[in-house]
Amino acid sequence: MTGSGKNDPLPVKSEDGAERSARELIDSLAGQYRLQVDDDTVHKEFRDCFGKNHERANDGRFDLTYSVRVQLPGAEHGKALQPMRKKLEAEGYKILGYRAEPSQALMDARGGSDNFFISVDSYGRRDALVFSVNTPCFLPPGVKQEQVSAPAPDAGPVTPKDPRLALMTPTGPDSPDNPFG
């Protein structure tokens, strides 16, 4: 996927495949420090993909957020990130954020063959690290990708009735990797 336009071909993967890939990434990172994930803490959420301007297609495209915790004393959090970082960099991930302090560990990275976003952090916990993976938008196998049309040329921004709201930064899927452009 080039990321240059809203109708660029999406990567193809089933929901099961996306979940399996996310879990394999987490297990491989945890294994770098001989950690075992706590299966009772798995949280996964599949969502419909929306475009930068809230475009929506009806072809089944989805993304996944998958998170899990591992038990680890806080004093080891920063130390545990070091081999994980090396593994991610070796697999083509770009480290976006990194802090390896005991009990205040944080590592964010994007890349790899599936262009996943991975975060490993203490998340305010003294006894665990939280691993979280966000996938890009995937198209289910065997589905023809719907082509999303551009908004009408006369469709301009809507000014909120409350002028204070006009100063707020719009939120939403503004990622440069957004499949809708």
Side-chain angles (χ1 to χ4, degrees):
M1 185 169 96
T2 65
S4 63
K6 67 175 116 192
N7 288 313
D8 285 350
L10 293 174
V12 175
K13 195 172 284 242
S14 68
E15 287 186 356
D16 286 343
E19 181 178 348
R20 191 171 35 259
S21 295
R23 180 58 185 261
E24 287 171 356
L25 174 59
I26 290 170
D27 286 342
S28 73
L29 291 178
Q32 295 298 300
Y33 202 70
R34 295 190 179 108
L35 300 171
Q36 290 285 55
V37 300
D38 181 353
D39 288 326
D40 292 336
T41 66
V42 170
H43 176 78
K44 61 183 174 184
E45 183 178 352
F46 291 96
R47 295 175 308 275
D48 293 336
C49 293
F50 290 93
K52 181 177 182 178
N53 297 312
H54 306 288
E55 301 96 343
R56 180 166 189 213
N58 296 308
D59 55 11
R61 59 185 74 184
F62 68 92
D63 60 25
L64 166 66
T65 298
Y66 187 97
S67 63
V68 66
R69 289 193 305 259
V70 299
Q71 297 300 309
L72 182 67
E76 294 185 53
H77 288 184
K79 187 176 166 186
L81 290 186
Q82 294 169 4
M84 294 178 202
R85 179 180 183 154
K86 287 180 183 176
K87 180 169 181 58
L88 286 173
E89 289 174 330
E91 292 180 2
Y93 281 81
K94 180 179 179 186
I95 304 301
L96 305 172
Y98 187 78
R99 179 178 58 231
E101 299 171 20
S103 298
Q104 293 185 359
L106 168 70
M107 179 174 55
D108 293 331
R110 175 179 296 282
S113 61
D114 285 321
N115 196 29
F116 285 174
F117 176 83
I118 175 87
S119 180
V120 183
D121 63 63
S122 299
Y123 197 63
R125 301 177 93 32
R126 298 181 190 271
D127 63 344
L129 283 174
V130 177
F131 290 74
S132 180
V133 172
N134 294 327
T135 71
C137 192
F138 287 119
L139 189 67
V143 174
K144 184 177 185 320
Q145 182 172 334
E146 182 179 322
Q147 300 297 299
V148 180
S149 61
D154 62 344
V158 176
T159 304
K161 292 181 184 187
D162 183 341
R164 294 173 297 175
L165 296 176
L167 300 174
M168 296 176 65
T169 303
T171 59
D174 294 336
S175 166
D177 298 326
N178 191 307
F180 293 107

